[in-house]
Amino acid sequence: DKPTLAVVGATGAVGTVMLSILSERADIWGEIRLIASPRSAGRKLTVRGEQVEVIALSEEAFEGVDVAMFDVPDEISARWAPIAASKGAVAVDNSGAFRMDPDVPLVVPEVNAHAARVRPRGIISNPNCTTLSMIVAMGALHAEFGLSELIVSSYQAVSGAGQEGIDALREQLALVAGTELGTHPGDVRRAVGDTGPFPAPMALNVVPFAGSLKEDGWSSEELKVRDESRKILGLPELRVTATCVRVPVITTHSLAVHARFENEVTVEAAHEILAGAPGVVLCDNPAEGEFPTPADAVGTDPTWVGRVRRSLDDPRALELFVCGDNLRKGAALNTAQIAEVVAAELAGGAAAR
Ligand code: 2RA
């Protein structure tokens, strides 16, 4: 019998992408049960070409479920993922509630699929989209050269802040289009007024802050890049520094990466590794104007990598630029891939390694 999958948070921004991803990928699931808040119960959504009625989140909703994917706020996951697990489901959670729990593996199937097997709480976490947008490429380079340090700057899309973030940028772009705004201090800020979920205007601007403020001036996003990269790569002492920046892009996060390795590197070897790495597309021919951009990467599954250079002052370091769709690989796709690894394991297959 094919396993039963539950999608919790089916009506959200990531949930919507999830339903289209489930409709595109190999059809390994028996029933796909759609679960959301009581407010959304009764709505009909399309998955695999069929209309499925959304049911309200409750303990009974998890009866008979083999794998339950969660895309809901931290506090909802914190409460309900353990309930799903207690009902016998493996919970695959995309919130921040369990990512750093030592009894919960943090999984990116191209990098550490094996970790999914050891899940004492019956929960597997999906990383934050900023980490996910680069980690597949970094995992491939680490396997060859041995990573010793990461220094990254992110260029994060507004959809990382959900539909509210998308709406805010669209409204602001409409306000500034065709004007001469952006030529005097504060003119965009005055024209935009309410900046929505962002601490400054997003139109005609870049904002060096994403997430919430933590100790010593670091943002939550910056700390996630550090903590999660270390856990996924199994390098608890890895030196990681991130500066997270929001840019006026709807969807697809980008990162400029300085990666230092144990061994000397060459661009040729890095190209070969990246070109052969599952889930990575090498797009690196600047003479022909070929490099990844969010406008080209959006709506696609892979991590796009370009601008690969050996650092001028350090033969052990590479500079590169990566783009990844933050709603697909950054969220829904990786969750679906983890669920597939679990399904293969439950079926006694060989895919879970
Ligand atoms: C953001 N990484 O881009 C967050 C979303 N989880 O805001």
Side-chain angles (χ1 to χ4, degrees), residues 16-17 43 63 109 163 192 199 205 208 212 222 253 281 292 298 345:
T16 306
V17 174
R43 272 178 65 183
E63 296 294 347
Q163 190 59 44
V192 160
N205 210 9
S212 56
E222 291 159 351
H253 287 354
V281 173
V298 63
E345 179 200 318

Side-chain angles (χ1 to χ4, degrees), residues 99 128-130 156-162 210-211 221 224 246 253 326:
R99 286 181 186 138
N128 187 33
C129 48
T130 317
Q156 292 179 224
V158 295
S159 60
E221 286 289 300
K224 285 178 191 180
R246 193 77 71 182
H253 287 354
N326 53 300

